[in-house]
Amino acid sequence: MPSRKQVKKVGTKVRRLDRGEGSAEDARVVEKVIRSYRAQFSRPIGTTNMAIRRYAEHARVEAEVTQRLKKKSTIIDKLKNRETTLSLDRMQDIGGCRAVVSDLVGLQQLVDTVVDRLGSRVIHHDDYVDKPRGPVIGLIT
């Protein structure tokens, strides 16, 4: 497992390597730290996936629940090109779960169940139905 200091510094090393300033050893360290750090999210995401499935069952909502870990190449790209001052330990989207439901009523039932079950452990909740975060494209079929 990488040290906290290694995780913090990997973004700087990635950017240095991109400028041609790093060594082969730096590249190996970056590879190892990102792989190890990313792997730490695997179990919590699996646990969260199963919890969301249980919550959907409890709410009697049909939901397609999926999970993902950000690819190593995408992590590197984000550190290099999109968030040029970001350190890996502050990257908030390394992993995630998604529940797709067929309608807004089912979505609200699922959200209510999760909030009810988790109570004060829900620290933050974004409502992208009420306030979309970007352009929304709808298709009528």
Side-chain angles (χ1 to χ4, degrees):
M1 188 155 70
S3 71
R4 186 172 176 91
K5 187 176 179 180
Q6 287 176 312
V7 172
K8 254 186 142 139
K9 290 187 172 191
V10 81
T12 303
K13 286 187 184 216
V14 163
R15 291 183 283 273
R16 199 173 287 147
L17 284 164
D18 189 49
R19 293 189 306 263
E21 299 171 2
S23 66
E25 179 58 27
D26 288 336
R28 282 190 291 277
V29 168
V30 163
E31 170 82 24
K32 182 179 177 187
V33 169
I34 291 175
R35 185 178 57 248
S36 298
Y37 187 70
R38 180 181 171 274
Q40 292 177 41
F41 292 85
S42 207
R43 188 172 182 165
I45 288 172
T47 301
T48 302
N49 181 309
M50 294 307 297
I52 292 171
R53 289 173 189 272
R54 284 193 312 272
Y55 298 148
E57 254 180 55
H58 183 266
R60 293 188 175 100
V61 173
E62 292 274 333
E64 182 181 333
V65 183
T66 58
Q67 66 189 50
R68 67 113 178 112
L69 275 176
K70 187 179 284 292
K71 294 177 187 173
K72 181 188 66 153
S73 60
T74 308
I75 291 171
I76 290 171
D77 177 63
K78 188 169 187 175
L79 291 169
K80 262 193 324 193
N81 302 317
R82 292 185 278 147
E83 302 282 345
T84 57
T85 59
L86 183 66
S87 60
L88 182 59
D89 67 318
R90 301 203 24 98
M91 192 177 288
Q92 296 184 7
D93 62 342
I94 290 176
C97 291
R98 173 190 318 220
V100 177
V101 298
S102 62
D103 57 40
L104 292 176
V105 172
L107 174 63
Q108 193 57 56
Q109 287 174 310
L110 181 55
V111 168
D112 290 346
T113 299
V114 170
V115 170
D116 184 53
R117 291 285 178 105
L118 294 178
S120 63
R121 292 183 290 172
V122 175
I123 299 168
H124 180 76
H125 169 254
D126 288 319
D127 185 341
Y128 294 128
V129 172
D130 189 39
K131 295 179 185 158
R133 59 181 178 169
V136 176
I137 299 172
L139 298 176
I140 300 173
T141 55

